[in-house]
Amino acid sequence: MVFPIRALLAPAALASVLLVGSPDAEAASLGLHRIRVTPEAAYGAVGGQAKPVRLTLDPRLQREAERLLARSGAPEAAIVASDVRTGRILVWASRGDRDFVAEPYAPSASLFKIVTAAALLDGGHANEGTEACWSGGEHDITAADLDRRGGSACTPFGEALGKSINMVFARMAKRHLDPDDLRRMASALGFAGDVPIDVPAQTGRVDIPADPFGMARAAAGFWNGKLSPLGALFAMQTIANGGERVRLVLKDPGVPVARVVERRALDPRVARTLNRMLQVTTKRGTCVKAFRHADGTRALPGMAVAAKTGTLVGKKPARMFSWFASFAPADKPEIAVAVMLANDITWRTKANVVGRDLLEAYFAGSRDERRAR
């Protein structure tokens, strides 16, 4: 089943608390970079203010995120995590010369397939059982591959997102969508436009060419703009919340963070379908190897994890951009995590391994806290 909700994707009416910077700027964003962590709390100066304020971060998880980024060896990198239910930011960590969490520094790569999948489902153009056939497109998309009838390989659409099959998304977008469909959904999910949060952040940028071939390549994740880790986190949190855009909170209000729903981005049934499609990533898709340790044991055994990966090489100096965006447990989400690594062409690890390790640290801590009580 597919569920059109175009009427729900109008721009938000409520006033934004964000100070929005230019997404084209390579200068530092107005987020925060230097964070002081104590055993009880974390503090940082936000929005260019000199005086640090208490943050909502989990000190134990923040220290672990900083350790994982240092171990990754990536010249630029970021991790951000939230409590799905309330929007409380649990981790905000960067590696490099500025705050990369709130800056759209990296191309969205195959994470953009989430937008395309959502637009296809929302428009009634596909469901999990829709058969998609293709040839080529593993590393690039050519006009010949795009226009070829049928294909040498076929899969249900429900498998294509987790396996990140470029040609499925390029072909289906060319056949069923127009650039405005993709732009509208990108804005709803936080890939472009505002992300509701109580600190300054830049907007992501989505570039969808008007010509059918260019649009098809963009729909599959080939050089279609830039995304911040914060934007990737918000997209996953929105899907985890059944399509509701829950406001993010980084400045500690002094009381438990209250859940504030800004508006609805997705029909709940579309969000549930995306949830199931994203679980394929860790079960039999692009993250199968990353979710097994070197000794053969499975990470987070018995727990379904919804995730999407992305990889793209480019920029000057040359970078291998690696993405991992996720939430878990998929059946009752607690935490959303987004990781971006801008590696050298020779690299030590990828974002999916870093994200897996942070998820394991979170759930190990949750078990310890329950035992302590």
Side-chain angles (χ1 to χ4, degrees), residues 116-255:
T116 306
L120 288 165
L121 293 167
D122 171 56
H125 307 301
N127 57 45
E128 288 172 274
T130 301
E131 185 179 67
C133 299
W134 76 96
S135 294
E138 184 177 356
H139 300 296
D140 200 359
I141 293 172
T142 67
D145 287 336
L146 195 60
D147 294 334
R148 185 179 292 115
R149 295 176 64 85
S152 58
C154 296
T155 189
F157 183 63
E159 296 285 306
L161 186 59
K163 295 178 179 178
S164 205
I165 302 172
N166 294 324
M167 286 302 301
V168 169
F169 291 92
R171 279 190 169 188
M172 293 185 73
K174 182 175 181 287
R175 185 177 304 133
H176 299 297
L177 302 177
D178 62 40
D180 283 342
D181 293 326
L182 294 173
R183 294 184 189 113
R184 188 163 45 241
M185 189 59 73
S187 179
L189 291 177
F191 278 68
D194 72 294
V195 171
I197 187 171
D198 60 345
V199 297
Q202 295 182 14
T203 59
R205 190 187 77 217
V206 171
D207 299 326
I208 309 295
D211 68 285
F213 176 63
M215 187 201 73
R217 282 176 53 83
F222 285 94
W223 300 107
N224 56 6
K226 293 183 179 180
L227 178 67
S228 70
L230 188 68
L233 175 84
F234 187 69
M236 299 305 281
Q237 178 179 280
T238 299
I239 296 168
N241 274 308
E244 291 183 332
R245 287 170 52 106
V246 174
R247 185 173 181 264
L248 297 167
V249 179
L250 178 61
K251 293 190 288 188
D252 189 340
V255 295

Side-chain angles (χ1 to χ4, degrees), residues 75-78 94-103 105 228-229 340:
E76 298 96 24
S94 284
R95 175 177 168 86
D97 61 359
R98 57 189 188 269
D99 176 13
F100 288 102
V101 170
E103 180 181 346
Y105 173 73
S228 70
M340 184 280 294

Side-chain angles (χ1 to χ4, degrees), residues 80-106:
V80 60
S82 67
D83 180 323
V84 165
R85 297 155 295 193
T86 64
R88 173 194 169 194
I89 296 291
L90 302 173
V91 168
W92 185 295
S94 284
R95 175 177 168 86
D97 61 359
R98 57 189 188 269
D99 176 13
F100 288 102
V101 170
E103 180 181 346
Y105 173 73

